[in-house]
Amino acid sequence: MISRIASFHNYQSVANDMNRQQVKVAENQQQLASGKRLLTAGDDPVSSIYIQNFDQQNTQIEQSLKSITLARNRLDNEETAITEVENLLDEAKRKSMMMVNGSLSGDDRIAHKQDMQGLFDSFMNLVNTQDESGNYVFAGTQYSKQPFFRDNNGHVSYVGDSYQRMAKVAPAVEVPMNDAGDKLFLEVSNPYGNYQPDYQLQEGSMLLLSQATNSNDADQSAYRVEFTTSPSGTSYQLYQNGAVVSSAPFEPGKGIEWGTLQVNIDGEIKNGDVIDLSRQDKVNVFDAFRRGIELSDRSVSDASASAELHQVAAELSEGFKHINRARSEIGTRLQTLDRQEDMHEDFRIVMKQARGTLEDLDYATAVIELNENMMALQASQQAFAKTKDLNLFNYI
Protein backbone atom coordinates (compact mmCIF):
# COMPACT_ATOMS: atom_id res chain seq x y z
CA MET A 1 0.00 0.00 0.00
CA ILE A 2 1.33 3.42 -0.88
CA SER A 3 1.13 6.09 1.87
CA ARG A 4 -0.03 9.47 0.73
CA ILE A 5 1.24 12.73 2.27
CA ALA A 6 -0.69 15.88 1.64
CA SER A 7 1.14 18.68 -0.11
CA PHE A 8 0.34 21.07 2.73
CA HIS A 9 2.06 18.93 5.38
CA ASN A 10 5.14 18.57 3.22
CA TYR A 11 5.19 22.31 2.65
CA GLN A 12 4.75 23.06 6.39
CA SER A 13 7.55 20.69 7.44
CA VAL A 14 10.07 22.33 5.12
CA ALA A 15 8.95 25.83 6.23
CA ASN A 16 9.34 24.95 9.93
CA ASP A 17 12.82 23.60 9.34
CA MET A 18 13.79 26.80 7.55
CA ASN A 19 12.39 28.92 10.40
CA ARG A 20 14.38 26.93 12.96
CA GLN A 21 17.56 27.52 10.98
CA GLN A 22 16.78 31.23 10.75
CA VAL A 23 16.40 31.40 14.55
CA LYS A 24 19.74 29.64 15.04
CA VAL A 25 21.48 32.02 12.63
CA ALA A 26 19.91 35.02 14.38
CA GLU A 27 21.10 33.72 17.75
CA ASN A 28 24.61 33.21 16.40
CA GLN A 29 24.65 36.74 15.02
CA GLN A 30 23.38 38.18 18.31
CA GLN A 31 26.04 36.27 20.24
CA LEU A 32 28.76 37.60 17.97
CA ALA A 33 27.41 41.15 18.27
CA SER A 34 27.20 41.03 22.10
CA GLY A 35 30.24 38.84 22.76
CA LYS A 36 28.10 36.80 25.17
CA ARG A 37 27.42 33.08 24.96
CA LEU A 38 24.38 33.27 27.23
CA LEU A 39 21.62 35.54 25.99
CA THR A 40 18.77 34.08 28.04
CA ALA A 41 18.53 31.84 31.09
CA GLY A 42 17.35 29.06 28.80
CA ASP A 43 20.70 28.98 27.01
CA ASP A 44 22.34 27.45 30.11
CA PRO A 45 20.18 27.41 33.29
CA VAL A 46 22.99 26.31 35.63
CA SER A 47 25.43 28.96 34.42
CA SER A 48 22.68 31.58 34.59
CA ILE A 49 22.22 30.90 38.31
CA TYR A 50 25.94 31.39 38.93
CA ILE A 51 25.88 34.62 36.92
CA GLN A 52 22.99 35.94 39.02
CA ASN A 53 25.01 35.19 42.17
CA PHE A 54 27.96 37.07 40.68
CA ASP A 55 25.67 40.04 40.00
CA GLN A 56 24.46 40.07 43.61
CA GLN A 57 28.00 39.91 44.95
CA ASN A 58 29.08 42.67 42.61
CA THR A 59 26.20 44.85 43.88
CA GLN A 60 27.35 44.25 47.46
CA ILE A 61 30.89 45.20 46.51
CA GLU A 62 29.66 48.41 44.88
CA GLN A 63 27.76 49.30 48.05
CA SER A 64 30.82 48.55 50.19
CA LEU A 65 33.04 50.69 47.95
CA LYS A 66 30.60 53.58 48.28
CA SER A 67 30.66 53.16 52.07
CA ILE A 68 34.47 53.17 51.99
CA THR A 69 34.52 56.39 49.98
CA LEU A 70 32.07 58.03 52.41
CA ALA A 71 34.01 56.84 55.47
CA ARG A 72 37.31 58.01 54.00
CA ASN A 73 35.90 61.48 53.37
CA ARG A 74 34.57 61.68 56.93
CA LEU A 75 37.86 60.51 58.44
CA ASP A 76 39.88 62.89 56.27
CA ASN A 77 37.75 65.76 57.58
CA GLU A 78 38.26 64.64 61.17
CA GLU A 79 42.00 64.18 60.71
CA THR A 80 42.32 67.70 59.30
CA ALA A 81 40.42 69.16 62.27
CA ILE A 82 42.42 67.12 64.80
CA THR A 83 45.71 68.23 63.26
CA GLU A 84 44.65 71.86 63.78
CA VAL A 85 43.55 71.02 67.33
CA GLU A 86 47.01 69.60 68.05
CA ASN A 87 48.64 72.79 66.82
CA LEU A 88 46.40 74.94 69.04
CA LEU A 89 47.02 72.79 72.12
CA ASP A 90 50.76 72.90 71.55
CA GLU A 91 50.68 76.68 71.14
CA ALA A 92 48.52 77.11 74.26
CA LYS A 93 50.89 74.92 76.28
CA ARG A 94 53.86 77.07 75.25
CA LYS A 95 51.94 80.25 76.13
CA SER A 96 51.18 78.85 79.58
CA MET A 97 54.82 78.03 80.19
CA MET A 98 55.85 81.52 79.06
CA MET A 99 53.47 83.06 81.62
CA VAL A 100 55.25 81.13 84.39
CA ASN A 101 58.32 83.26 83.72
CA GLY A 102 58.75 85.49 86.79
CA SER A 103 60.50 88.20 84.79
CA LEU A 104 57.35 89.03 82.81
CA SER A 105 55.71 92.39 83.31
CA GLY A 106 52.01 92.88 83.82
CA ASP A 107 51.68 94.06 80.22
CA ASP A 108 53.38 90.89 79.02
CA ARG A 109 50.84 88.80 80.94
CA ILE A 110 47.99 90.78 79.36
CA ALA A 111 49.44 90.16 75.89
CA HIS A 112 49.68 86.43 76.59
CA LYS A 113 46.14 86.46 77.94
CA GLN A 114 44.90 87.94 74.67
CA ASP A 115 46.80 85.27 72.77
CA MET A 116 45.29 82.53 74.95
CA GLN A 117 41.83 83.97 74.40
CA GLY A 118 42.36 83.92 70.64
CA LEU A 119 43.58 80.32 70.81
CA PHE A 120 40.55 79.36 72.87
CA ASP A 121 38.19 80.99 70.34
CA SER A 122 39.87 79.12 67.49
CA PHE A 123 39.69 75.91 69.50
CA MET A 124 35.93 76.33 69.97
CA ASN A 125 35.48 76.78 66.24
CA LEU A 126 37.42 73.59 65.54
CA VAL A 127 35.52 71.39 68.01
CA ASN A 128 32.32 72.52 66.27
CA THR A 129 33.69 71.68 62.83
CA GLN A 130 31.21 70.56 60.15
CA ASP A 131 31.88 68.34 57.15
CA GLU A 132 30.84 68.99 53.55
CA SER A 133 27.32 67.74 54.33
CA GLY A 134 26.88 70.07 57.29
CA ASN A 135 27.29 67.29 59.89
CA TYR A 136 29.16 68.13 63.09
CA VAL A 137 32.32 66.03 63.16
CA PHE A 138 32.64 65.69 66.96
CA ALA A 139 28.96 65.29 67.94
CA GLY A 140 28.89 61.48 68.05
CA THR A 141 25.69 60.23 66.43
CA GLN A 142 23.93 63.57 67.14
CA TYR A 143 25.66 65.03 64.11
CA SER A 144 22.88 67.46 63.25
CA LYS A 145 23.34 69.40 66.52
CA GLN A 146 26.19 71.67 67.53
CA PRO A 147 28.05 69.68 70.20
CA PHE A 148 29.91 72.32 72.27
CA PHE A 149 28.66 75.54 73.87
CA ARG A 150 30.61 78.07 75.93
CA ASP A 151 28.96 80.32 78.51
CA ASN A 152 30.01 83.82 79.50
CA ASN A 153 32.33 82.46 82.20
CA GLY A 154 34.25 80.28 79.77
CA HIS A 155 32.73 76.98 80.93
CA VAL A 156 32.05 74.57 78.06
CA SER A 157 29.20 72.05 77.92
CA TYR A 158 28.79 69.09 75.58
CA VAL A 159 25.37 68.14 74.17
CA GLY A 160 26.39 65.37 71.79
CA ASP A 161 26.56 61.69 72.72
CA SER A 162 29.38 59.22 73.29
CA TYR A 163 28.75 56.98 70.29
CA GLN A 164 30.41 56.62 66.91
CA ARG A 165 28.89 56.44 63.45
CA MET A 166 29.88 53.19 61.77
CA ALA A 167 30.46 52.41 58.09
CA LYS A 168 29.89 48.84 56.93
CA VAL A 169 32.74 48.31 54.47
CA ALA A 170 32.40 44.51 54.22
CA PRO A 171 29.78 41.96 55.32
CA ALA A 172 31.56 41.47 58.65
CA VAL A 173 33.64 44.65 58.91
CA GLU A 174 32.52 48.01 60.31
CA VAL A 175 34.80 51.04 60.67
CA PRO A 176 34.07 54.11 62.88
CA MET A 177 33.68 57.27 60.81
CA ASN A 178 34.07 59.75 63.68
CA ASP A 179 34.98 60.21 67.33
CA ALA A 180 32.69 61.62 69.99
CA GLY A 181 33.75 65.01 71.34
CA ASP A 182 33.47 64.04 75.00
CA LYS A 183 35.95 61.18 74.50
CA LEU A 184 38.41 63.47 72.75
CA PHE A 185 38.25 66.67 74.80
CA LEU A 186 36.55 65.94 78.13
CA GLU A 187 38.16 62.64 79.12
CA VAL A 188 41.88 63.34 79.05
CA SER A 189 43.98 61.40 81.53
CA ASN A 190 45.02 63.47 84.53
CA PRO A 191 48.77 64.15 84.13
CA TYR A 192 49.11 64.11 87.95
CA GLY A 193 47.54 60.69 88.40
CA ASN A 194 44.29 60.53 90.36
CA TYR A 195 44.10 63.96 91.97
CA GLN A 196 43.71 67.59 90.98
CA PRO A 197 45.89 69.96 93.05
CA ASP A 198 44.80 73.32 94.45
CA TYR A 199 47.78 75.34 95.65
CA GLN A 200 48.06 77.77 98.56
CA LEU A 201 51.74 78.65 98.42
CA GLN A 202 53.87 81.19 100.17
CA GLU A 203 55.78 83.85 98.25
CA GLY A 204 58.90 82.46 96.65
CA SER A 205 57.71 78.86 96.90
CA MET A 206 58.63 76.55 94.03
CA LEU A 207 56.52 73.63 95.20
CA LEU A 208 54.87 71.58 92.47
CA LEU A 209 52.89 68.36 92.62
CA SER A 210 54.67 65.66 90.63
CA GLN A 211 52.24 62.77 91.07
CA ALA A 212 49.38 61.81 93.36
CA THR A 213 47.93 58.32 93.00
CA ASN A 214 45.59 56.09 94.96
CA SER A 215 45.20 52.42 94.08
CA ASN A 216 41.89 52.28 95.95
CA ASP A 217 39.28 53.42 93.42
CA ALA A 218 36.62 53.51 96.13
CA ASP A 219 38.51 56.18 98.07
CA GLN A 220 36.93 59.47 97.00
CA SER A 221 38.21 61.41 100.02
CA ALA A 222 39.61 64.90 99.77
CA TYR A 223 43.17 65.22 101.07
CA ARG A 224 45.17 68.20 102.25
CA VAL A 225 48.92 68.45 102.83
CA GLU A 226 50.37 71.22 105.02
CA PHE A 227 54.12 71.76 105.12
CA THR A 228 56.19 73.17 107.96
CA THR A 229 59.84 74.09 107.58
CA SER A 230 62.40 74.65 110.31
CA PRO A 231 66.17 74.60 110.61
CA SER A 232 65.95 70.88 111.31
CA GLY A 233 64.05 70.14 108.07
CA THR A 234 60.62 69.97 106.52
CA SER A 235 57.66 68.07 107.90
CA TYR A 236 54.09 67.60 106.75
CA GLN A 237 50.62 66.91 108.04
CA LEU A 238 48.21 64.91 105.93
CA TYR A 239 44.48 65.49 106.33
CA GLN A 240 41.69 63.23 105.08
CA ASN A 241 38.32 65.00 104.82
CA GLY A 242 39.55 67.55 107.37
CA ALA A 243 41.00 65.13 109.92
CA VAL A 244 44.75 64.62 110.47
CA VAL A 245 45.73 61.08 109.51
CA SER A 246 49.51 61.33 109.21
CA SER A 247 52.33 63.59 110.35
CA ALA A 248 56.01 62.97 109.64
CA PRO A 249 59.25 64.50 108.33
CA PHE A 250 59.11 65.02 104.57
CA GLU A 251 61.58 63.00 102.53
CA PRO A 252 61.66 64.25 98.89
CA GLY A 253 62.82 60.94 97.49
CA LYS A 254 60.12 58.99 99.30
CA GLY A 255 57.26 61.46 99.12
CA ILE A 256 54.15 61.06 101.24
CA GLU A 257 52.76 57.57 101.76
CA TRP A 258 49.60 56.73 103.62
CA GLY A 259 47.66 53.56 103.01
CA THR A 260 46.95 53.37 99.28
CA LEU A 261 47.80 57.06 98.77
CA GLN A 262 51.15 58.14 97.28
CA VAL A 263 52.03 61.84 96.82
CA ASN A 264 55.28 63.02 95.24
CA ILE A 265 56.40 66.64 95.43
CA ASP A 266 59.00 68.58 93.42
CA GLY A 267 60.62 71.96 93.99
CA GLU A 268 61.56 74.11 96.96
CA ILE A 269 59.02 74.15 99.81
CA LYS A 270 58.31 77.19 101.98
CA ASN A 271 56.92 77.15 105.49
CA GLY A 272 53.11 77.20 105.36
CA ASP A 273 52.72 75.79 101.85
CA VAL A 274 49.47 73.89 101.38
CA ILE A 275 48.16 71.58 98.67
CA ASP A 276 44.54 70.42 98.53
CA LEU A 277 43.98 67.22 96.55
CA SER A 278 40.57 66.35 95.11
CA ARG A 279 39.94 63.04 93.39
CA GLN A 280 39.86 63.50 89.61
CA ASP A 281 41.03 60.84 87.17
CA LYS A 282 40.14 62.79 84.03
CA VAL A 283 40.57 66.42 83.01
CA ASN A 284 39.28 68.39 80.05
CA VAL A 285 41.15 70.80 77.82
CA PHE A 286 38.41 73.43 77.92
CA ASP A 287 38.95 73.96 81.65
CA ALA A 288 42.69 74.14 81.03
CA PHE A 289 42.14 76.95 78.50
CA ARG A 290 39.75 78.77 80.82
CA ARG A 291 42.04 78.56 83.85
CA GLY A 292 45.04 79.63 81.79
CA ILE A 293 43.17 82.79 80.76
CA GLU A 294 42.01 83.48 84.32
CA LEU A 295 45.47 82.93 85.82
CA SER A 296 46.98 85.47 83.43
CA ASP A 297 45.31 88.18 85.54
CA ARG A 298 47.25 87.11 88.64
CA SER A 299 50.53 88.70 89.65
CA VAL A 300 53.74 87.21 88.29
CA SER A 301 54.96 86.94 91.88
CA ASP A 302 51.99 84.80 92.90
CA ALA A 303 53.55 81.38 93.59
CA SER A 304 50.17 79.62 93.61
CA ALA A 305 49.28 81.09 90.21
CA SER A 306 52.63 80.02 88.80
CA ALA A 307 52.13 76.48 90.11
CA GLU A 308 48.63 76.36 88.62
CA LEU A 309 50.01 77.59 85.27
CA HIS A 310 52.41 74.63 85.39
CA GLN A 311 49.32 72.49 85.95
CA VAL A 312 47.53 74.10 82.98
CA ALA A 313 50.55 73.45 80.76
CA ALA A 314 50.70 69.83 81.92
CA GLU A 315 47.00 69.30 81.14
CA LEU A 316 47.32 70.90 77.71
CA SER A 317 50.35 68.73 77.03
CA GLU A 318 48.41 65.62 78.07
CA GLY A 319 45.54 66.79 75.89
CA PHE A 320 47.95 67.03 72.95
CA LYS A 321 49.09 63.43 73.56
CA HIS A 322 45.49 62.27 73.88
CA ILE A 323 44.51 63.89 70.58
CA ASN A 324 47.64 62.57 68.91
CA ARG A 325 46.66 59.01 69.88
CA ALA A 326 43.23 59.65 68.38
CA ARG A 327 44.85 60.81 65.15
CA SER A 328 46.91 57.61 65.09
CA GLU A 329 43.69 55.63 65.45
CA ILE A 330 42.24 57.53 62.49
CA GLY A 331 45.30 56.52 60.48
CA THR A 332 44.68 52.90 61.41
CA ARG A 333 41.07 53.17 60.23
CA LEU A 334 42.15 54.70 56.95
CA GLN A 335 44.57 51.80 56.44
CA THR A 336 41.69 49.39 57.12
CA LEU A 337 39.63 51.16 54.46
CA ASP A 338 42.50 50.92 51.97
CA ARG A 339 42.94 47.20 52.64
CA GLN A 340 39.23 46.52 52.30
CA GLU A 341 39.07 48.53 49.09
CA ASP A 342 41.97 46.54 47.61
CA MET A 343 40.33 43.28 48.66
CA HIS A 344 37.05 44.29 47.05
CA GLU A 345 38.77 45.29 43.82
CA ASP A 346 40.74 42.02 43.71
CA PHE A 347 37.62 39.98 44.40
CA ARG A 348 35.75 41.85 41.68
CA ILE A 349 38.48 40.95 39.18
CA VAL A 350 38.31 37.28 40.22
CA MET A 351 34.51 37.29 39.85
CA LYS A 352 34.76 38.94 36.46
CA GLN A 353 37.14 36.24 35.29
CA ALA A 354 34.93 33.48 36.69
CA ARG A 355 31.87 35.01 35.09
CA GLY A 356 33.71 35.29 31.80
CA THR A 357 34.34 31.55 31.69
CA LEU A 358 30.59 31.00 31.95
CA GLU A 359 29.23 33.85 29.88
CA ASP A 360 31.81 35.08 27.39
CA LEU A 361 31.70 33.84 23.83
CA ASP A 362 34.32 31.66 22.15
CA TYR A 363 34.45 33.54 18.85
CA ALA A 364 36.13 30.75 16.86
CA THR A 365 33.51 28.20 17.86
CA ALA A 366 30.71 30.74 17.32
CA VAL A 367 31.87 31.59 13.78
CA ILE A 368 32.07 27.90 12.84
CA GLU A 369 28.59 27.34 14.27
CA LEU A 370 27.27 30.37 12.40
CA ASN A 371 28.67 29.09 9.10
CA GLU A 372 27.18 25.65 9.69
CA ASN A 373 23.78 27.11 10.53
CA MET A 374 23.89 29.42 7.52
CA MET A 375 24.67 26.46 5.23
CA ALA A 376 21.80 24.54 6.78
CA LEU A 377 19.56 27.57 6.32
CA GLN A 378 20.52 27.86 2.65
CA ALA A 379 19.75 24.16 2.16
CA SER A 380 16.39 24.62 3.85
CA GLN A 381 15.65 27.63 1.70
CA GLN A 382 16.49 25.67 -1.49
CA ALA A 383 14.35 22.77 -0.35
CA PHE A 384 11.53 25.14 0.46
CA ALA A 385 11.77 26.75 -3.00
CA LYS A 386 11.53 23.38 -4.71
CA THR A 387 8.67 22.24 -2.50
CA LYS A 388 6.81 25.49 -3.11
CA ASP A 389 7.06 25.05 -6.90
CA LEU A 390 5.82 21.44 -6.91
CA ASN A 391 2.68 21.30 -9.15
CA LEU A 392 0.99 18.42 -10.95
CA PHE A 393 0.67 20.55 -14.01
CA ASN A 394 4.49 20.57 -14.29
CA TYR A 395 4.28 16.92 -15.22
CA ILE A 396 1.32 17.03 -17.63
Side-chain angles (χ1 to χ4, degrees):
M1 180 177 181
I2 301 175
S3 299
R4 298 178 62 191
I5 300 176
S7 301
F8 172 77
H9 292 291
N10 188 36
Y11 174 90
Q12 190 66 37
S13 175
V14 175
N16 289 341
D17 183 61
M18 183 179 66
N19 289 335
R20 284 193 294 271
Q21 295 301 326
Q22 286 176 334
V23 170
K24 290 181 179 180
V25 170
E27 289 178 352
N28 292 144
Q29 291 173 336
Q30 191 174 356
Q31 287 176 335
L32 288 168
S34 64
K36 303 298 182 182
R37 182 177 68 87
L38 302 182
L39 301 176
T40 65
D43 294 335
D44 189 338
V46 175
S47 296
S48 296
I49 293 174
Y50 282 112
I51 290 172
Q52 289 178 354
N53 292 335
F54 289 148
D55 289 339
Q56 292 176 353
Q57 290 178 333
N58 191 63
T59 300
Q60 291 178 351
I61 289 176
E62 290 294 338
Q63 292 174 345
S64 296
L65 290 174
K66 289 179 181 179
S67 295
I68 288 173
T69 300
L70 177 62
R72 183 181 288 114
N73 291 339
R74 297 289 186 268
L75 290 173
D76 285 341
N77 286 329
E78 182 181 356
E79 184 179 25
T80 299
I82 281 183
T83 300
E84 294 300 321
V85 164
E86 284 181 329
N87 294 335
L88 289 177
L89 288 174
D90 186 57
E91 181 66 18
K93 179 196 72 174
R94 291 192 289 108
K95 288 292 181 184
S96 300
M97 292 304 299
M98 291 172 66
M99 285 192 284
V100 174
N101 189 345
S103 63
L104 289 179
S105 65
D107 291 339
D108 292 333
R109 275 279 182 94
I110 292 174
H112 287 312
K113 176 183 178 179
Q114 293 173 343
D115 289 341
M116 282 288 287
Q117 186 65 60
L119 292 172
F120 195 16
D121 292 341
S122 298
F123 191 82
M124 288 302 301
N125 288 331
L126 280 174
V127 297
N128 287 319
T129 294
Q130 295 173 275
D131 60 26
E132 73 282 356
S133 300
N135 299 321
Y136 287 95
V137 174
F138 301 115
T141 59
Q142 304 295 318
Y143 51 83
S144 61
K145 302 176 183 178
Q146 179 177 324
F148 291 99
F149 292 89
R150 178 174 50 174
D151 63 20
N152 294 331
N153 296 320
H155 293 90
V156 175
S157 58
Y158 178 69
V159 298
D161 59 32
S162 301
Y163 304 105
Q164 293 174 306
R165 286 179 285 164
M166 308 298 290
K168 191 170 184 178
V169 298
V173 181
E174 290 186 339
V175 175
M177 293 192 295
N178 72 321
D179 291 279
D182 58 343
K183 303 294 184 183
L184 289 176
F185 309 115
L186 303 180
E187 299 181 9
V188 178
S189 297
N190 188 341
Y192 294 112
N194 305 123
Y195 291 88
Q196 190 79 344
D198 183 19
Y199 297 95
Q200 300 175 37
L201 306 182
Q202 303 301 311
E203 183 176 356
S205 174
M206 302 294 289
L207 182 152
L208 289 173
L209 176 67
S210 174
Q211 196 80 359
T213 59
N214 193 331
S215 58
N216 182 10
D217 294 335
D219 185 1
Q220 299 295 316
S221 302
Y223 289 93
R224 181 184 181 95
V225 183
E226 296 181 354
F227 292 94
T228 303
T229 61
S230 65
S232 60
T234 301
S235 60
Y236 69 88
Q237 281 189 317
L238 176 67
Y239 295 78
Q240 182 189 37
N241 294 330
V244 177
V245 293
S246 178
S247 180
F250 177 68
E251 301 178 28
K254 180 180 179 182
I256 299 170
E257 297 179 355
W258 184 75
T260 57
L261 179 69
Q262 174 69 48
V263 180
N264 295 322
I265 302 295
D266 289 333
E268 182 181 351
I269 301 172
K270 295 293 185 180
N271 184 49
D273 284 347
V274 176
I275 301 181
D276 287 308
L277 300 173
S278 56
R279 186 75 185 232
Q280 188 172 340
D281 296 322
K282 302 292 183 179
V283 297
N284 77 73
V285 293
F286 299 106
D287 283 345
F289 268 108
R290 177 182 55 80
R291 295 200 332 271
I293 293 170
E294 292 174 351
L295 290 168
S296 61
D297 290 328
R298 305 265 287 270
S299 171
V300 294
S301 61
D302 188 332
S304 297
S306 296
E308 289 181 24
L309 282 170
H310 275 288
Q311 177 184 344
V312 167
E315 291 177 3
L316 291 171
S317 178
E318 189 64 32
F320 176 90
K321 297 175 185 177
H322 183 75
I323 295 296
N324 186 260
R325 287 191 290 269
R327 187 154 71 94
S328 298
E329 175 62 24
I330 292 174
T332 300
R333 295 175 202 165
L334 288 170
Q335 289 179 346
T336 300
L337 295 180
D338 291 340
R339 285 195 297 269
Q340 287 297 325
E341 186 176 42
D342 291 341
M343 290 172 62
H344 287 319
E345 294 292 352
D346 292 342
F347 187 50
R348 186 155 62 174
I349 291 173
V350 171
M351 284 200 305
K352 186 176 180 180
Q353 292 173 343
R355 178 173 179 161
T357 60
L358 298 175
E359 184 183 41
D360 290 349
L361 183 68
D362 183 347
Y363 280 92
T365 302
V367 169
I368 293 173
E369 186 177 351
L370 174 63
N371 292 332
E372 291 175 349
N373 288 330
M374 288 186 69
M375 291 177 63
L377 175 60
Q378 290 173 358
S380 296
Q381 288 172 338
Q382 292 173 359
F384 178 77
K386 289 182 179 181
T387 302
K388 181 172 65 71
D389 292 335
L390 285 177
N391 195 316
L392 182 60
F393 294 101
N394 294 334
Y395 300 95
I396 295 176

